[in-house]
Amino acid sequence: MKVLITDPIADAGIDRLREAGFTVETAYEADQETLQTAIRDAAGLVVRSGTEVTDELLSGAPALQIVGRAGIGVDNIDIDAATEHGVIVANAPEGNVRAAAEHTVAMTFATARSIPQAHARLKTGEWAKGDYVGTELNNKTLGIVGLGRVGQEVAKRLGSLGMELVAYDPYIGADRAEALGAELAELETVLDRADIATVHTPLTPETEGLIGAAELKRLDGGYLINCARGGVVEEDALASAVVDGTLEGAALDVFATEPLPEDSPLLGAENVVVTPHLGASTEAAQENVATSIADQIAAAVADEPVLNALNAPSIDASAFGRVEPYIELAETAGRIAMELFDAHIDTAHVEYAGEIADEEVDIVTASALKGMFRPLESQVNAVNAPGIAEERAIDVVESKATAAEDFQSLISVTLENGDGSVTVSGTQFAGNDPRIVRIDGYRVDAIPEGHMLVARNYDEPGVIGFIGTVLGEYDINIAGMFNGRETIGGEALTVYSLDSEPNGSIIETLEADERIISAQYLALTDE
Ligand code: NAD
Ligand code: MLT
């Protein structure tokens, strides 16, 4: 299987992919046409911030299972499109946090003490000692916009240098901020109070242009640092604010367009310090994110949980062993329910009973949906199945019960509309032995694989013999059979495991008999 890498990552990640058995192909700074060709047969794609992963690119990647972002920001990846294509998007949110925080601290000192400017002049022989009087960080106020992973690490580091901390982040609790010694406040207050403001939000529609001319004015006489994402701070407004003296200085590692265009006003502003997106560029950080992404790609193709999947149900690795046996079982139950129901669905109800009800089951529910839609959609998996249910206006209801009748764990998939419903229940017997144990009210015991015939019939003498005879006449061998009935002489349901596929005439012959209500063939093969 091929993994395509389109932005450079650390060798440790490439080695990890090769050790996992992947063929690794690289296409750095490739044009669109080269990318489209290279991605056609790729099972995994690894990017940093340099590759735009668009709907168009994903449309030409039928084998793609996962896009791994060797880093944090995923604003260059169309996650909605990936979800529609059934492609997992995963990032490596931990590995470069400290590197980014350290770079922020470095950039803070760089601008507050004019280090790059003084350095450049000394290199050309100028001893400009009298031109630079810096700002001491001790006793100054740091305004943090976005108190997430990087923001918190910056808070710890600059807080320990004697800075007072005030932060704006509408999505974190005051307790967390307090534990870091930071006071939460509105953006305006943060900027009014800060001597130095540092931005650590993702780039989202909400944060785009969050800091513009009006906000920079509030920071009057201060410094602005952005080592998060270009686009959060308006660059023209920032350049003007530094040039006209509204701000003392600014330090930027990230830009709305990267590489930064030569005609950017930021380059002409003496007191704007810039680095070319180096926040995560330490050996340790690059190794961390590259190996994390390699591991997640290996997990995705092995159908194991992907630790930092952003668009797929994920599960704690330690719980996966307990849940794994139910993933395929739920898919099969969903598939059988769908084939038996054979009508439009209003609601899909996935119920967990017994021990499985204590687990995180999002991934199992997604698999039940995958099984349901598999006969209808060519590209369905646990990533896009919930979206397909939404598109089809199917309400997905998950419920849990502690008691599971006679079973340790029981999963039931019920499909319903206003006119009726079908329920298929499955369990795992000891030793990873999956069974379908109920279809509607009927107790059965069917191994959910291969060729299955489900007959609903009236409980009359000779019906089962008749079905056996018809199958025999067409040379179809019965491997196993289980019959359940409501009452003597009432309706019954019989499940046959067959050694081969019954052809259409068999179904017609069976259904022509007035004792048989319906006969349905279910192919539970992996074709
Ligand atoms: P994170 O998700 O842990 O934290 C982001 C924080 O921003 C969250 O606490 C969130 O609540 C907050 N936030 C979201 N919308 C907000 C809004 N409208 N106003 C205020 N706060 C808001 O992310 P992180 O790991 O801390 O990364 C932060 C940023 O740094 C990201 O943009 C990431 O891409 C970037 N980054 C850059 C580099 C680099 O090389 N320069 C390296 C690592 C991370
Ligand atoms: C990130 O979001 O992780 C950074 O942009 C780091 C990078 O990949 O350069």
Side-chain angles (χ1 to χ4, degrees), residues 48-49 69-73 96 228-229 277 280-281 286:
R48 285 181 64 192
S49 54
R69 162 63 161 108
I72 298 171
N96 63 26
R229 273 294 173 275
H277 204 144
S281 296
Q286 285 311 305

Side-chain angles (χ1 to χ4, degrees), residues 36 52-61 78 80-82 84-85:
Q36 291 284 13
E52 285 296 319
V53 183
T54 59
D55 188 19
E56 190 191 351
L57 188 66
L58 294 163
S59 300
D78 186 338
D80 289 343
E84 272 174 36
H85 290 284

Side-chain angles (χ1 to χ4, degrees), residues 21 68 71 164 201 285 292 308 332 361 421 432 489:
E164 194 183 318
T201 66
S292 159
N308 302 120
T332 311
V361 289
S421 71
N432 216 346

Side-chain angles (χ1 to χ4, degrees), residues 72-73 96 148-150 169 171 201-202 206 227 229 253 277 279-280:
I72 298 171
N96 63 26
R149 292 184 188 88
V150 178
D169 188 327
Y171 308 110
T201 66
E206 195 191 345
C227 291
R229 273 294 173 275
D253 183 46
H277 204 144

Side-chain angles (χ1 to χ4, degrees), residues 48 69 71-75 93-94 96-97 99-101 103-104 144-152 168-172 187 199-204 206-208 210 226-229 232 253-254 277-281 286:
R48 285 181 64 192
R69 162 63 161 108
I72 298 171
V74 285
D75 39 284
E94 302 288 349
N96 63 26
V97 166
H103 196 69
T104 305
I144 304 173
V145 180
L147 197 56
R149 292 184 188 88
V150 178
Q152 293 184 24
Y168 168 63
D169 188 327
Y171 308 110
I172 79 146
L187 180 61
V199 175
H200 299 288
T201 66
L203 177 65
T204 63
E206 195 191 345
T207 61
E208 190 165 6
L210 185 68
N226 184 6
C227 291
R229 273 294 173 275
V232 178
D253 183 46
V254 288
H277 204 144
L278 292 182
S281 296
Q286 285 311 305

Side-chain angles (χ1 to χ4, degrees), residues 66-114:
I66 176 166
V67 177
R69 162 63 161 108
I72 298 171
V74 285
D75 39 284
N76 52 322
I77 302 171
D78 186 338
I79 298 184
D80 289 343
T83 305
E84 272 174 36
H85 290 284
V87 174
I88 297 172
V89 176
N91 68 350
E94 302 288 349
N96 63 26
V97 166
R98 281 151 301 277
E102 286 184 9
H103 196 69
T104 305
V105 173
M107 293 293 265
T108 306
F109 277 121
T111 184
R113 303 301 291 268
S114 305

Side-chain angles (χ1 to χ4, degrees), residues 50-246:
T51 306
E52 285 296 319
V53 183
T54 59
D55 188 19
E56 190 191 351
L57 188 66
L58 294 163
S59 300
L64 196 65
Q65 297 182 40
I66 176 166
V67 177
R69 162 63 161 108
I72 298 171
V74 285
D75 39 284
N76 52 322
I77 302 171
D78 186 338
I79 298 184
D80 289 343
T83 305
E84 272 174 36
H85 290 284
V87 174
I88 297 172
V89 176
N91 68 350
E94 302 288 349
N96 63 26
V97 166
R98 281 151 301 277
E102 286 184 9
H103 196 69
T104 305
V105 173
M107 293 293 265
T108 306
F109 277 121
T111 184
R113 303 301 291 268
S114 305
I115 293 171
Q117 296 90 334
H119 167 88
R121 287 176 70 182
L122 186 51
K123 284 279 182 171
T124 57
E126 247 191 291
W127 188 261
K129 183 170 162 68
D131 287 354
Y132 298 106
V133 177
T135 296
E136 207 165 287
L137 302 188
N138 185 42
N139 282 333
K140 297 291 186 313
T141 300
L142 178 71
I144 304 173
V145 180
L147 197 56
R149 292 184 188 88
V150 178
Q152 293 184 24
E153 292 300 318
V154 169
K156 286 184 209 159
R157 283 157 178 76
L158 290 179
S160 74
L161 294 175
M163 295 196 82
E164 194 183 318
L165 307 176
V166 52
Y168 168 63
D169 188 327
Y171 308 110
I172 79 146
D175 289 358
R176 183 77 199 108
E178 207 178 299
L180 290 156
E183 184 189 331
L184 279 185
E186 288 306 317
L187 180 61
E188 292 73 17
T189 312
V190 168
L191 295 173
D192 284 343
R193 283 177 52 187
D195 298 295
I196 295 173
T198 182
V199 175
H200 299 288
T201 66
L203 177 65
T204 63
E206 195 191 345
T207 61
E208 190 165 6
L210 185 68
I211 312 271
E215 289 71 27
L216 293 170
K217 217 165 183 172
R218 289 182 176 272
L219 191 58
D220 200 14
Y223 297 85
L224 188 282
I225 320 292
N226 184 6
C227 291
R229 273 294 173 275
V232 178
V233 180
E234 283 176 15
E235 293 178 355
D236 288 354
L238 179 65
S240 303
V242 175
V243 170
D244 71 18
T246 305

